[in-house]
Amino acid sequence: MSATVVDSDGRVSAVASAANPVVIGGVHFRLLGSGGDSAAAAMAVEEDRLPLVKAIDGAALLVVVAGLGGGTGSGALPAVLRLAASRSVPTLVFTVAPFRIEGVERLKSAAAAVRALEGLGTVRVRLSNDDLVADAPECATLPEAMARADSVAVAALSLIWSLCARPAYLRLDPATLLETLSRGRGDAHFAFARAEGADRAAVVAHRLLEGPGPALRVHADDIRGALVGVTGGTDLRLAEVGAAAGAVSGILPTGTPVRLSVALDAVREGALEVAVLAFRDWAESSATGDEGAGSTSIHAPDRFAGVAATPIGGENLDDPTWLRRNLRLAL
Amino acid sequence: MESRTVVVVEPGTTRTVAIAGRRHKDTGRPELLGFGSVNSAGMRKGRVSNPEYVAKGVEQVLDKIDDATGGGFRDCIIVCSCGDTSFRNVEGRVALSTREGEVGVVGEADKVRAVEACRKPETLEGRVSLDAFGQGWRLDDSPETVLEPIDREARYLSRRAMVPDMPLAEIEAFEKVFSDCDVTVRHEIFSAAAALSAATTQQQREDGVLCIDFGGGTTSWCLARHSRIEDIGALPVGGDHVTNDILAAFRPGSTMAAERLKITHGHAVLEGVPRGERVPVAVDGGASARTVPLYAVAQVVNARMDETLRLVRSSLESRGATHLLGAGVVICGGASLLGGLPELVTRVFDAPCLAPTLSSGIEGFDREPARYATIWGAFTLALEKDARENARAERRTFLGRLANWFEKEDRA
């Protein structure tokens, strides 16, 4: 697992020196940032794509977290996802919309950026800063609120890391994770809750379903599959795992597949953390063959046999569109 | 001066076409000497999948134009539409005076030097840079781009250009095929740029127009505004995918039968397609063995074309280019002839879909601009490049350099 921070602002090199900073558009932007110009940021990725290609090539999964509303996140994200797709690297994308107080212009820019992601990324999760700090007390300072927003993004990343890498009773091996993302391709919801103390399981279950923050109950009807990750310390109890998984399964339509993974992590001693990735689509079949782990092969037409597949946005475009869209033909 | 004969070949997924011609010695207009078109084999999604089959098609089509040109040509220009086409923006800067920092007057030779300075960016590993598209000129550090800098005073002249690039392996595969046919590839032309130059008017390119070339194996596009190219791209998805989708949905018995069903009954929008009507599936040999619902055929075609167009739109949106479509969208290429496609294009891009125009002076071409815009556009672009190279070669001679010096002194 490695991290890369991409920005058009040269200061990223100083603040993220440990995370392989990549400054894009250095010549054009003079390291001062994109100035809100998303088109220029997209071009900057094209111009400076060598370090990005280096970071992406060979990865089994690319997890991307991007803040929308400005120029770099909105413009560079689609270009980065296209780079990943061209190399058959599946992507799990978290986009974070700006706070409402940031103004209409930035909100509109974020909405346009979301539209531009159509067809890109294997699984896409939309979050907003307002939701992420929904449980912050009114007296929270600005740094505290921002830290709380960041913690959810960190939770998303550490969930995957912990579930794959830490000692686990139900370990999520990378192949299963990729297969799950392949089945749940498209848009997904994300919910995260953390609690400590004797009633931590009940608190976590309530927060996952009702909020504050990104919650699942309002989306329950359009969830077709879910990945539930539970992490805690050595004091994690079986009943608590059951309570968390049961709470999620309980609100979903009967028969909705829920995949559970449980890992122990020393840094979470005394706490219970549960993160849920709830998919709005769930394919009957998953990625197979040599066309790249990020694409889903539904049908292998002879017309394209023997040539490289066309993986874009986690799908193999050589497969018939009507099949991939589960279109019911008027036969 | 009469230009030499130029041969352009477009090894497409469905058909391979070739054109030979030159610039007329009196009028300077493009003059057609020969044209050939044969069915293709061995190409998938714009790439060479079976070199032997592709070579056979190239040989056949070159045979067709061999007589017209008197034979003997040993090189050609090829039209490519690789699904993995990207681009980079570059800038070439030259001083206008021999004394650093001194003001000079822009002359033709300065323009040539600036073009040469930006022609070769650092080549990305595994990719080949194609000819650059000029995007205007810049004087000193002014943010303003000018279309014609001649006679302007400045210290430096910069040429802005967009450089398309394609995978080296794919270009080498084409070069190998042509080499097996004893023909050298001089350079490659991106298909959508060729289509744009022939199928759109100067006014449309000024107002902002997107030209989409729907080929058999790829869909490529080129967006121009203020007479310069602003965006290009390509997807390895084309009319072949529609045929394949039909094949998977209705099992008509062969690819040819699916192709016929697509051409005869395919429709890209569902509105107006009667739900109860069934159409015959013409199997190989011509007999209609069974029927399929017309509406279902339209569903299959609509799903594929809608997806393809939305991917194009999504690419433009990611570069912030959708607002540049002042004139609208022009569609060409064989797959653009699908019924209902203009309506679907209008819906997806929220912009008018315009019919391609072609003014080649050749009746057969001008009657079917969607089919012939790309090859004719590539031919005219190749002639222009040939003329530029001739002029550059002349400038490199002693007398040429002398003339440039006089020109410069005269302006100063």
Side-chain angles (χ1 to χ4, degrees), chain A residues 39 42-43 46-47 49-50 78 82 116 118 301 303 308 310 317-322 324-325 328-330, chain B residues 44-45 86-87 89 124 127 236 240-241 244-245 249-250 293 299 303-304 307 310-311 313-314 317-319:
Chain A
M43 285 180 191
E46 298 283 352
E47 287 166 14
R49 62 188 200 163
L50 276 180
R82 253 190 293 279
E118 197 176 311
R303 189 88 184 126
T310 309
L317 294 197
D318 294 344
D319 291 331
T321 312
W322 63 271
R324 283 183 281 114
R325 298 279 174 271
R328 194 181 295 276
L329 298 181
Chain B
R44 287 287 182 274
K45 297 188 279 186
S86 57
F87 67 85
N89 292 309
L124 294 168
R127 300 190 68 85
D240 240 16
H241 285 79
N244 193 62
D245 291 3
F250 307 111
Q299 279 181 298
R304 174 63 74 174
E307 177 183 63
R310 283 180 196 283
L311 284 168
R313 192 192 70 179
S314 173
E317 279 177 346
S318 71
R319 289 168 183 156

Side-chain angles (χ1 to χ4, degrees), chain A residues 149-197:
Chain A
D150 288 345
S151 72
V152 179
V154 171
L157 294 172
S158 66
L159 163 84
I160 293 160
W161 168 244
S162 295
L163 295 177
C164 289
R166 295 293 180 216
Y169 291 104
L170 283 168
R171 188 166 172 261
L172 182 68
D173 63 80
T176 307
L177 173 63
L178 293 175
E179 199 258 357
T180 304
L181 295 178
S182 174
R183 281 180 187 264
R185 67 188 182 278
D187 292 318
H189 304 290
F190 181 74
F192 170 74
R194 182 182 197 278
E196 294 179 12

Side-chain angles (χ1 to χ4, degrees), chain A:
Chain A
M1 182 169 169
S2 66
T4 300
V5 177
V6 182
D7 206 337
S8 55
D9 186 334
R11 285 172 297 181
V12 72
S13 298
V15 298
S17 56
N20 306 324
V22 172
V23 181
I24 56 169
V27 175
H28 191 75
F29 299 136
R30 298 176 188 175
L31 309 181
L32 297 174
S34 67
D37 188 343
S38 57
M43 285 180 191
V45 171
E46 298 283 352
E47 287 166 14
D48 294 324
R49 62 188 200 163
L50 276 180
L52 295 171
V53 165
K54 207 173 153 189
I56 292 170
D57 268 348
L61 173 68
L62 181 69
V63 182
V64 190
V65 182
L68 304 182
T72 306
S74 303
L77 178 59
V80 168
L81 295 181
R82 253 190 293 279
L83 268 185
S86 71
R87 280 152 177 82
S88 303
V89 175
T91 44
L92 172 57
V93 188
F94 292 88
T95 57
V96 185
F99 289 106
R100 273 189 290 278
I101 55 164
E102 291 181 50
V104 176
E105 201 180 341
R106 286 178 69 85
L107 289 170
K108 275 187 177 171
S109 168
V114 168
R115 284 196 299 276
L117 292 179
E118 197 176 311
L120 295 172
T122 309
V123 171
R124 300 177 296 269
V125 178
R126 287 160 61 181
L127 302 168
S128 84
N129 271 330
D130 286 310
D131 285 344
L132 299 184
V133 298
D135 62 340
E138 255 187 49
C139 60
T141 62
L142 190 61
E144 284 168 351
M146 294 309 293
R148 197 172 284 260
D150 288 345
S151 72
V152 179
V154 171
L157 294 172
S158 66
L159 163 84
I160 293 160
W161 168 244
S162 295
L163 295 177
C164 289
R166 295 293 180 216
Y169 291 104
L170 283 168
R171 188 166 172 261
L172 182 68
D173 63 80
T176 307
L177 173 63
L178 293 175
E179 199 258 357
T180 304
L181 295 178
S182 174
R183 281 180 187 264
R185 67 188 182 278
D187 292 318
H189 304 290
F190 181 74
F192 170 74
R194 182 182 197 278
E196 294 179 12
D199 61 344
R200 59 190 183 182
V203 173
V204 161
H206 181 79
R207 283 186 180 169
L208 284 176
L209 304 187
E210 317 293 347
L216 293 176
R217 190 181 294 282
V218 290
H219 305 297
D221 287 342
D222 65 1
I223 294 172
R224 299 287 173 268
L227 172 66
V228 178
V230 182
T231 53
T234 50
D235 60 338
L236 181 65
R237 294 194 297 272
L238 182 65
E240 290 175 324
V241 175
V248 175
S249 301
I251 61 161
L252 301 181
T254 310
T256 304
V258 176
R259 293 188 171 177
L260 176 67
S261 181
V262 184
L264 300 183
D265 197 339
V267 299
R268 290 175 169 88
E269 200 64 38
L272 171 65
E273 286 187 8
V274 181
V276 182
L277 201 50
F279 307 105
R280 293 180 62 182
D281 202 358
W282 186 261
E284 289 302 314
S285 57
S286 63
T288 54
D290 58 2
E291 69 273 16
S295 58
T296 298
S297 185
I298 293 166
H299 176 75
D302 290 340
R303 189 88 184 126
F304 303 115
V307 293
T310 309
I312 293 179
E315 294 181 289
N316 178 10
L317 294 197
D318 294 344
D319 291 331
T321 312
W322 63 271
L323 265 175
R324 283 183 281 114
R325 298 279 174 271
N326 292 322
L327 202 63
R328 194 181 295 276
L329 298 181
L331 291 171

Side-chain angles (χ1 to χ4, degrees), chain B residues 58-272:
Chain B
V58 169
E59 268 173 9
Q60 284 174 353
V61 82
L62 291 180
D63 279 348
K64 281 180 184 271
I65 61 169
D66 211 27
D67 295 340
T69 58
F73 60 87
R74 285 286 163 263
D75 57 34
C76 72
I77 291 108
I78 62 169
V79 186
C80 302
S81 174
C82 158
D84 181 14
T85 302
S86 57
F87 67 85
R88 284 168 296 156
N89 292 309
V90 294
E91 192 163 310
R93 182 175 162 117
V94 293
L96 293 172
S97 169
T98 48
R99 288 183 193 164
E100 184 69 20
E102 205 170 81
V103 172
V105 180
V106 179
E108 284 294 342
D110 300 314
K111 286 172 65 177
V112 172
R113 284 192 301 126
V115 167
E116 285 179 347
C118 76
R119 203 157 3 105
K120 283 186 181 165
E122 182 196 351
T123 304
L124 294 168
E125 195 181 340
R127 300 190 68 85
V128 176
S129 295
L130 272 54
D131 282 346
F133 302 125
Q135 290 188 302
W137 307 86
R138 213 154 63 93
L139 297 163
D140 294 333
D141 291 323
S142 165
E144 183 197 356
T145 301
V146 293
L147 284 177
E148 182 49 80
I150 288 284
D151 288 346
R152 300 277 294 264
E153 285 189 358
R155 290 180 174 81
Y156 300 98
L157 173 68
S158 301
R159 172 65 162 169
R160 286 180 156 183
M162 172 192 282
V163 183
D165 57 70
M166 290 183 181
L168 174 66
E170 292 181 24
I171 296 297
E172 282 180 343
F174 278 120
E175 289 177 351
K176 172 78 171 55
V177 163
F178 280 81
S179 165
D180 290 345
C181 301
D182 294 326
V183 177
T184 306
V185 175
R186 280 170 60 197
H187 63 92
E188 298 81 15
I189 292 176
F190 179 53
S191 66
L196 176 92
S197 74
T200 60
T201 63
Q202 178 64 43
Q203 189 58 51
Q204 287 168 344
R205 293 194 291 273
E206 186 60 29
D207 294 341
V209 67
L210 171 69
C211 181
I212 308 179
D213 186 6
F214 291 96
T218 59
T219 298
S220 54
W221 66 91
C222 205
L223 190 155
R225 193 182 188 223
H226 293 158
S227 298
R228 59 176 185 255
I229 289 178
E230 295 284 355
D231 189 77
I232 62 166
L235 288 169
V237 175
D240 240 16
H241 285 79
V242 182
T243 305
N244 193 62
D245 291 3
I246 290 175
L247 196 65
F250 307 111
R251 304 189 190 287
S254 71
T255 304
M256 283 306 295
E259 184 77 14
R260 276 196 294 271
L261 194 56
K262 175 183 82 175
I263 293 168
T264 317
H265 300 293
H267 210 262
V269 288
L270 301 176
E271 288 79 3

